[in-house]
Amino acid sequence: MKVALIAAVSADGYIAQTPGQRSMDWTSREDAAFFIEKTREFGVVVMGRKTFETIGRPLAGRLTVVMTSRPDHGRNIHGLLEYTSDAPGAIVENLASRGFGGIALAGGAKIYGEFLRAGLVDEVYLTVEPVLFGEGVRLADGIGRMDMALIETRMLGASTVLLHYRL
Ligand SMILES: NC(=O)c1ccc[n+]([C@@H]2O[C@H](COP(=O)([O-])OP(=O)(O)OC[C@H]3O[C@@H](n4cnc5c(N)ncnc54)[C@H](OP(=O)(O)O)[C@@H]3O)[C@@H](O)[C@H]2O)c1
């Protein structure tokens, strides 16, 4: 079971300029297309409740798993939307037992950090957008140093670069 962290980052390494900001407000169409392609490939996306609220709806054709301490807060829709208070390891085990070959980890910072600290992330996809925020939400806090191996770099359109790493 592969867990792939997928994030759009500013050129100075932030995933949002302000907490609660919608990624679609600053990311490119090419990044959106890559996100759709990758998440359709895996069939399941895991994200935090705050990120889900910035999107506002489950992603068509994929299972969206929303992490929250209050899973009764929202209504599950079979095969499309599930709320869970499970820990990262239990989520991975559960999805593996259901036959998913990979998980797209879609943030935000809290969720990226928890999966990274638990050693559950196998690959990292960063799409670097041509913008500097100067301040904002970092990819993940408190993870310490993690060395990665660069697998691939690719231009997504004229201005967006995809970096693909193995952890
Ligand atoms: N650039 C990108 O690619 C990208 C991607 C994703 C998000 N973002 C940005 O990141 C920001 C949101 O990140 P964030 O760190 O503030 O929030 P987040 O990670 O999206 O969500 C945090 C919430 O997830 C739930 N949660 C986290 N760990 C949990 C656990 N172990 N068990 C149960 N529930 C758990 C909690 O929900 P409850 O409070 O309901 O308990 C927590 O408040 C937004 O600005 C968004 O735009 C950027």
Side-chain angles (χ1 to χ4, degrees):
M1 171 63 126
K2 180 162 78 178
V3 178
L5 183 160
I6 301 177
V9 294
S10 65
D12 52 351
Y14 295 103
I15 62 165
Q17 189 171 14
T18 54
Q21 180 186 36
R22 294 169 67 242
S23 295
M24 296 296 277
D25 291 346
W26 62 276
T27 55
S28 59
R29 265 185 300 161
E30 289 83 1
D31 172 66
F34 172 74
F35 184 80
I36 290 168
E37 173 200 317
K38 215 18 100 181
T39 53
R40 281 193 191 278
E41 183 185 313
F42 292 138
V44 58
V45 184
V46 174
M47 66 180 72
R49 191 262 307 162
K50 292 184 181 173
T51 293
F52 182 68
E53 284 182 355
T54 70
I55 299 170
R57 58 184 163 74
L59 306 163
R62 290 144 285 180
L63 171 62
T64 299
V65 176
V66 179
M67 292 177 70
T68 173
S69 56
R70 296 184 49 204
D72 56 347
H73 193 63
R75 195 168 58 84
N76 284 3
I77 305 171
H78 183 70
L80 193 64
L81 178 63
E82 294 177 8
Y83 292 87
T84 182
S85 57
D86 285 353
I91 293 175
V92 173
E93 272 177 37
N94 174 270
L95 292 170
S97 74
R98 292 161 63 182
F100 289 101
I103 296 174
L105 196 63
K110 187 139 198 304
I111 268 51
Y112 291 145
E114 289 188 31
F115 277 76
L116 285 166
R117 276 191 296 276
L120 291 169
V121 177
D122 303 294
E123 295 187 12
V124 173
Y125 292 91
L126 301 178
T127 53
V128 184
E129 296 288 15
V131 60
L132 299 171
F133 286 156
E135 59 186 359
V137 181
R138 282 194 289 263
L139 180 78
D141 284 325
I143 55 169
R145 172 176 166 169
M146 292 188 181
D147 293 320
M148 303 190 291
L150 184 66
I151 299 173
E152 181 196 7
T153 63
R154 200 192 328 158
M155 291 298 297
L156 299 181
S159 306
T160 300
V161 182
L162 173 70
L163 303 174
H164 179 195
Y165 298 96
R166 185 168 34 245
L167 253 183

